[in-house]
Amino acid sequence: MPLRFRPLLFLGLCCLAFGALFIFSSQTVLVLYSRVNLALGGLCILSFVAINAHSLKTFFPGKEARRFSETTVYALLFVATLAALNFFAYRHPVRADLTQEKVFTLSEQSKALLSELRSPITIYAFVKGGQNARAEDLLKTYHHYNPGLVRYELVDPNQRPDLAEKYGIRRYGIFIVTDGSKFRMAEEALEESVTNAMLGLLKTRDRVVYLLEGHGERGAQDGGEEGLKTFMDQLEREGFRVKSLLLASAEKVPDDANVLAIVGPKKPFLDEEIERVKAYLDKGGKLYLCLDPNTQTNLEPFLANLGVEAGNDIVIDMQLRLFQGPVLGLDPIVQDYEMHPITKSLTGRTLFSMVRSIRPKGPLPKGVSAEPIVKTSPASWAETDIHRVLEKSEATMEEGKDVQGPMPIAVAWQKGDARMVVFGDSDFLKNALFNRLFNADLALNGMNWLAENTTLLTIRPKGGKAAFLFLTPAQIDTIFVFGVLIIPQLLFALGLIVWDWRRRG
Amino acid sequence: MRKTMTIALKDLRAYFVSPIGYTVLSVFLLLTGWLFNGLINRYIMITMYYQQMGDPSAFRDFNLNTQILTPFFHNMVFVFIFIVPLFTMRLFAEERKMRTDELLMTLPLEDIHILMGKFFAGLSFLGIVLISTVVFPILLVIYGNPDVGPIFSGYLGVFLVGAAFVSVGLFASFTTENQVVAAIVSFVIFLLLYLININVPEAESLLKSVLMYLSLFDQMDSFAKGLIALPNIVYLVSFCVLGLFLGKIAIEIRRWR
């Protein structure tokens, strides 16, 4: 007896196959599609079997039915074995790196660090369009050495603004290593950079910044234009803990301080306070200092002893005004940076407001290095007659009294483990200016340089063997002739000859 | 083994006594050569551009291997998608068309002999195709100084992908007597496996991992860059074995009828 309603069988099979495609989907529409299909498919096949129950018995006589079921079981077992093998290999990715520079092999330091992992970490690469072969290869390599605990993801910051916001991503090419609560940033797609970030995450406790109070400094919680809340929030996001400190009532700068920050004091410091700051620096402390012009804080002589001069002046420089173009003013826009870890990643200008000059004061004490890192334009000068500028809004460059630019307005200072960054301005950190131009980068790089782990690893960058090709036009044509033309030409000819020979028998 | 070899030799010979072998070979070489030449021209243009910009740091990832050889191997796999069905479609479907299949099935041969004989014939032809492309890396070595390690891994990868394609093409050839249908079936399977990763879901999930794992492009990528990894080898070999297994079932089903 022939089978009836055969289309039911085919319709049912198609529904089952398409339904199975999205069985694990998490999207509502697809899940609905999948379930409807599976149900429909099941219904069709059941009806088909029910309608043809009698014919099917004769269609599959005993022997064939047994063979059929045997083969099915056999095939399923076979596929399951293959899947298991693949899963096993996936979990045990043994491999051989054939590149001369060992591009897909991590250094011993990185391998040791990865083998010490106890809890999972995730590495995010924030790259354009979420795709970057170099970044992916690098992260795959990390994943390879500890597949159970290292996860990675390439993220387009525009598609995941939540992540970009969370980690304060301001440009492409940033890597974030995180254990879920803390994170560290790596700025380059290099093993050295990523491994050091991982080291920072695993080996160091939270970095603590003490923000000094009591001399009219800018407030950490102040969300108004003049406050530092934006800066402090960003520091918290980058793994710092910010605490406040009243030095007059403290015995010393606390031992857990990684950085002491003094931002925009207006009243003079007491001698005891200066002693405590000095004692902290002598022990290898790190100081982040921003001094505005037209203030006397008593810190100036202390700085002079260390080899840094905070000028009693105000810098007049070019500034850009709407519809006026560049004019001289008190809000310099700066783009002249010296080579230093703090300024290395700055690719654009920073904006200051009312700046005093800060420069190394020679001869420097023994063992001290002090480098200017930010300079105003050559047209600028350090005006010493501050009152005339502020009260009458007048300024002229007077030889002998004033100093012609470029004027250094920030200095990075180092003596042994002790480090200090001095800026001649605190306005560039205030909420109103912090996110303008590259101010945030300059501010955070300074803090990161101070709080840097001094036991960083150096790993030679690898980028594949440098292999190049320089060809003359004749050589290009030779490649074309030998690569593209000659062999196919001979083969075509041979093919024609064979074809003709066969045809004639 | 001798029986297998007899079949393999007979089928390999069949490629070269008819124009099919020569046509497939020359079309393959023409296509890969054309793409290779495109890579060279692009490389030279970018080099000139960088030289004018005077930016030496741009050269860090810019070399013959990343710019020419890696895409060259990917291109070869891409051309395989179109070419392999052309020479596997005839392996068994031809016997059916010529009505020699009955004869073959009644010879004192086991299924496995027929299957492996046909497979080795396809594989040998694939080997010949690959050997004929060695001219491209040789030209590079003559005029430049590429890293040679990745050339070996690249060829290993291309060969394994090719072997997997041959086994699937062979299976397609066993299922139908129409060569065009056999070619289209294999072509669709290859293309689907090659492009399976373009529709992966954004979020991390089991489905995403499985789809990424199945993607031939991703499996080929490590080989093309100079990395031989066990999971990639296991994947491609299983693919090949699965094709052969299905082929064997197809023969068995024929025998029942």
Side-chain angles (χ1 to χ4, degrees), chain A residues 233-253:
Chain A
D233 287 351
Q234 188 62 37
L235 279 178
E236 300 267 355
R237 276 198 285 270
E238 300 220 344
F240 288 93
R241 269 194 297 144
V242 181
K243 298 179 178 177
S244 57
L245 175 66
L246 194 62
L247 206 51
S249 64
E251 201 178 302
K252 57 174 181 177
V253 176

Side-chain angles (χ1 to χ4, degrees), chain A residues 418-433:
Chain A
R419 284 181 177 186
M420 178 165 73
V421 185
V422 189
F423 293 99
D425 181 30
S426 70
D427 294 274
F428 80 106
L429 298 175
K430 67 186 184 186
N431 297 334
L433 295 186

